[in-house]
Amino acid sequence: MKYDLEYVLDSALDGVFIVASDHRLVLFNRACEELYNISREDVMDKAYWKLSDFQQSWDIISKKGGKISYGELGAKIERMELNHKGGRQVWVETIYTPIFDKENGEIAYVMGVIKDITELKRVEDEKKCLQNELVTIRRELESQYDFSTIVGNSPQILHALKLAAKVAPQNTTVMLAGESGTGKELLAKAIHYNSPRASRPFVALNCSAFPDTLFESELFGYEKGAFTGADKAKPGKIALASGGTLFLDEVTSMSPPTQAKILRVIQEREYEPLGAVRSKIADIRIIAATNKELETLVKEGTFREDLYYRLFVYPITLPPLRERIEDLPTLIETLLRKFHHAMGKSVRGVSPEALKVLMEYHWPGNVRELQNVIERMMILSKEDRIDVADLPRYLVDSARTRPLKSKTTGDLSKGMSLENSVHQVERELILQALQKCDNNKTRAARMLGLTRSTFRYKLSKISPEYSLVPDYKVGSV
Ligand SMILES: Nc1ncnc2c1ncn2[C@@H]1O[C@H](COP(=O)(O)OP(=O)(O)O)[C@@H](O)[C@H]1O
Ligand SMILES: [Mg+2]
């Protein structure tokens, strides 16, 4: 069959048009008619730029000396939105190609090939929206995990925060040690969101949550067909955390074979997904956490010594709540505010008697337990102040059954000096006054009949940084 060029072009899915050097449209195929929603009779032989929708394209096929010149055709690809009479909008992309005269080598025609990119444009716009949303969410996360969200002014907490702020900008492996609920994960997130990796993911993996083989597939991921049932590849946490931070919680729970593999990741920065033929680069910063004495486990031989040294580059210890009980009033205040926002229920504070019980309690679950207690009390309390009656029974009983070392009367049985006893009484009264006055130092000082400066001095003795740094700021480290 001898083909007819116009017939062939009419069958093409993309729009094709040709503009002659005198700017007349000499070809306009069927797909063009559909894209422009215009009949070819209306445009053929007419000057190309007379069609309003072609105005933009005309800028591309610009005129020089009355002829079509290569001009801005250098740009070659153009995107524009076509408005159909019916109100429909179509996004198109046009690629321009000059067709040269065989004899004189000048441009004789310009051919335009137009594609409908409405769907592509929609996906691109959606992607842009999602990216913007992601940036906003990341910013929110950054502020949510700022160092200032870690509440406490005790010297131990301030020391931990100082160490964390110093190491955050580096790629150094960090080991967080502390009992459960002391804020290890919270601090790990603060380190991540204050590091150059902040815009990449923070991925947490609890090493005790999976049996051995499952743990490895969680950590390293697997390729399609790696084992029966692996009908598609799955990225591991290392891949998910790429460019960001991998938080290995409860590292001591790793089995010896997994320990060997993770050691390789740390040393070589390489790993192999299950069933993979080639190694992959592990672009991660590792923050590990333990609530056990790692050193003892190394001595017992359950934890590899070489891995221990790799992880213990920069240890930070988070103190248990009972060892920084002076932080309790501030923590309670923060938690009351937090739950006030979450529940819309307002509780102003805790009565001095209830605070006393809370300060006597030994808090085995640390801040996590305190958080649960406060949440429960907020739900149950009828008054706007939490009293002893609102406290969980076990907490009151525990405080009662403990050998009551009434601080307000001193503890002579232990042979405590008068000076120390007085100091203890003073400390308790100061903390009580602060609690009663919602941490307002001026009012607390007045309540105790002290000048503000004397009060601040005494407060700084209880907790040196307390009176100097009202709210912890990274910049103050
Ligand atoms: N210093 C703190 N200030 C405020 N909230 C804290 C603090 N420490 C812990 N928390 C809160 O207590 C809970 C337990 O903390 P988490 O970081 O999970 O502890 P860990 O990882 O040590 O078990 C979390 O909800 C956390 O936000
Ligand atoms: Mg934890």
Side-chain angles (χ1 to χ4, degrees):
M1 156 185 140
K2 188 178 176 301
Y3 60 77
D4 166 354
L5 185 63
E6 270 188 45
Y7 173 77
V8 171
L9 289 177
D10 266 348
S11 312
L13 288 176
D14 291 339
V16 180
F17 67 83
I18 294 178
V19 186
S21 58
D22 59 2
H23 312 123
R24 273 179 315 108
L25 263 172
V26 293
L27 190 133
F28 199 76
N29 76 346
R30 198 190 309 276
C32 266
E33 287 188 303
E34 266 170 42
L35 283 172
Y36 284 95
N37 193 29
I38 206 164
S39 130
R40 75 181 85 174
E41 281 79 50
D42 294 340
V43 290
M44 283 297 270
D45 276 336
K46 299 224 167 83
Y48 179 62
W49 72 91
K50 285 208 173 136
L51 298 162
S52 60
D53 268 340
F54 290 165
Q55 195 61 54
Q56 286 185 52
S57 326
W58 175 245
D59 293 339
I60 302 254
I61 310 170
S62 58
K63 199 166 76 163
K64 240 184 213 158
K67 281 189 170 181
I68 285 184
S69 71
Y70 197 77
E72 288 168 60
L73 262 179
K76 280 190 200 132
I77 296 180
E78 177 206 39
R79 277 185 175 195
M80 65 173 172
E81 196 180 21
L82 302 175
N83 295 304
H84 288 183
K85 282 196 191 82
R88 200 165 87 89
Q89 285 165 330
V90 181
W91 269 95
V92 294
E93 188 174 84
T94 313
I95 301 175
Y96 296 97
T97 318
I99 301 168
F100 295 96
D101 188 314
K102 275 187 201 155
E103 258 123 59
N104 60 19
E106 287 191 11
I107 295 178
Y109 302 99
V110 171
M111 179 172 73
V113 177
I114 320 173
K115 260 187 185 358
D116 184 343
I117 55 153
T118 314
E119 184 55 19
L120 179 75
K121 187 83 175 55
R122 192 188 61 77
V123 173
E124 278 179 2
D125 288 351
E126 210 170 278
K127 188 177 155 202
K128 224 177 272 166
C129 274
L130 286 174
Q131 270 166 343
N132 288 343
E133 217 168 291
L134 196 66
V135 169
T136 321
I137 292 171
R138 285 229 166 95
R139 270 202 205 114
E140 257 170 43
L141 277 175
E142 273 170 45
S143 63
Q144 210 173 320
Y145 293 111
D146 194 75
F147 283 112
S148 59
T149 59
I150 298 165
V151 181
N153 292 296
S154 55
Q156 300 99 307
I157 270 287
L158 290 179
H159 181 63
L161 285 170
K162 188 173 164 178
L163 288 177
K166 273 199 177 139
V167 81
Q170 313 302 330
N171 242 343
T172 316
T173 302
V174 179
M175 171 60 86
L176 302 176
E179 288 176 15
S180 176
T182 46
K184 297 186 294 294
E185 186 157 349
L186 190 64
L187 187 60
K189 284 180 181 161
I191 293 174
H192 169 75
Y193 285 107
N194 283 282
S195 81
R197 293 175 170 263
S199 63
R200 303 291 303 149
F202 172 91
V203 177
L205 180 61
N206 189 328
C207 305
S208 73
F210 304 93
D212 216 25
T213 45
L214 252 183
F215 179 75
E216 283 185 18
S217 86
E218 275 295 311
L219 185 62
F220 302 116
Y222 51 80
E223 295 294 336
K224 187 179 170 181
F227 46 84
T228 359
D231 45 3
K232 55 179 182 221
K234 186 185 160 214
K237 299 280 189 197
I238 297 181
L240 293 176
S242 189
T245 303
L246 179 67
F247 177 59
L248 291 173
D249 205 359
E250 299 192 37
V251 266
T252 52
S253 312
M254 271 191 276
S255 72
T258 315
Q259 286 178 29
K261 285 186 181 158
I262 201 88
L263 181 68
R264 177 163 173 242
V265 176
I266 298 176
Q267 273 174 346
E268 323 272 335
R269 298 278 152 195
E270 264 184 15
Y271 72 103
E272 272 133 40
L274 306 182
V277 257
R278 249 183 260 141
S279 316
K280 289 193 169 181
I281 303 283
D283 176 15
I284 46 166
R285 184 216 197 143
I286 292 180
I287 301 182
T290 176
N291 54 13
K292 296 206 180 80
E293 271 280 336
L294 252 185
E295 239 167 293
T296 324
L297 295 175
V298 173
K299 273 186 204 133
E300 284 169 1
T302 42
F303 202 82
R304 286 179 74 116
E305 197 174 1
D306 43 9
L307 180 58
Y308 167 82
Y309 285 118
R310 284 287 172 176
L311 292 176
F312 241 74
V313 185
Y314 196 92
I316 302 177
T317 304
L318 280 162
L321 184 53
R322 66 186 158 280
E323 281 176 22
R324 56 174 187 115
I325 205 72
E326 65 263 43
D327 284 337
L328 200 80
T330 334
L331 271 166
I332 293 175
E333 191 195 319
T334 314
L335 292 169
L336 287 176
R337 229 182 300 129
K338 176 178 160 182
F339 291 122
H340 168 60
H341 284 301
M343 300 182 197
K345 192 171 168 180
S346 168
V347 171
R348 268 198 306 123
V350 179
S351 75
E353 294 75 24
L355 182 65
K356 189 166 183 311
V357 173
L358 293 173
M359 291 187 75
E360 288 284 342
Y361 184 59
H362 60 293
W363 297 108
N366 296 295
V367 187
R368 183 178 291 114
E369 185 182 5
L370 174 67
Q371 199 165 269
N372 295 344
V373 167
I374 299 286
E375 184 173 5
R376 189 182 137 167
M377 290 195 298
M378 271 197 82
I379 295 169
L380 296 178
S381 82
K382 290 182 198 78
E383 309 291 324
D384 69 347
R385 182 173 282 261
I386 291 166
D387 212 347
V388 179
D390 303 316
L391 299 179
R393 190 81 236 150
Y394 73 88
L395 218 147
V396 183
D397 286 350
S398 156
R400 214 178 267 151
T401 50
R402 274 161 73 83
L404 201 66
K405 38 178 177 87
S406 167
K407 286 177 183 165
T408 30
T409 56
D411 192 355
L412 292 170
S413 60
K414 276 191 190 159
M416 196 183 255
S417 69
L418 175 66
E419 194 186 332
N420 279 348
S421 292
V422 170
H423 182 71
Q424 264 199 17
V425 174
E426 216 176 72
R427 174 193 147 103
E428 189 165 337
L429 289 173
I430 285 173
L431 291 174
Q432 268 185 29
L434 265 177
Q435 171 66 19
K436 274 192 176 163
C437 302
D438 296 325
N439 266 346
N440 182 315
K441 287 176 204 124
T442 314
R443 274 174 31 222
R446 206 179 303 134
M447 180 182 269
L448 294 170
L450 297 172
T451 62
R452 197 176 142 79
S453 59
T454 312
F455 181 80
R456 279 176 74 98
Y457 171 73
K458 286 186 182 296
L459 196 57
S460 72
K461 289 247 160 178
I462 295 174
S463 166
E465 286 84 352
Y466 194 95
S467 53
L468 304 174
V469 193
D471 297 301
Y472 183 80
K473 296 266 159 30
V474 181
S476 64
V477 173

